[in-house]
Amino acid sequence: MSAAAVELEAGLKLGSFAFHRVEVRHTRLKRRCDCGCWVDGSEPYHYQVWKLVGAAGIEQRLDCEFCARVDGRY
């Protein structure tokens, strides 16, 4: 699990988000998601962006539809 994923899990448990947004998107080009899967224009992927209270910057994560459902975070 990546450092961003661990930070996201911790923020979800603590409820310490300054902001958090999830969108379902499609891409024109082939794209490699953070979960390791490749998606193209026919497959949706989940884009997530968040900032934890007190953190210096924002973080983002891309997951394919299948992996997003397996994680159960969406």
Side-chain angles (χ1 to χ4, degrees), residues 38-53:
W38 287 90
V39 294
D40 60 15
S42 66
E43 303 165 311
Y45 68 93
H46 288 255
Y47 170 74
Q48 203 170 36
V49 63
W50 68 92
K51 181 179 186 316
L52 296 175
V53 174

Side-chain angles (χ1 to χ4, degrees), residues 4-5 8-9 12 20-25 33-35 44-50 59-74:
L8 177 60
E9 292 288 329
L12 285 171
H20 178 252
R21 184 180 76 202
V22 177
E23 293 181 7
V24 176
R25 295 180 173 179
C33 295
D34 294 330
C35 61
Y45 68 93
H46 288 255
Y47 170 74
Q48 203 170 36
V49 63
W50 68 92
E59 299 288 333
Q60 63 182 4
R61 183 168 173 84
L62 306 174
D63 289 309
C64 71
E65 179 74 18
F66 179 76
C67 291
R69 289 183 181 188
V70 169
D71 286 351
R73 289 181 292 143
Y74 300 99

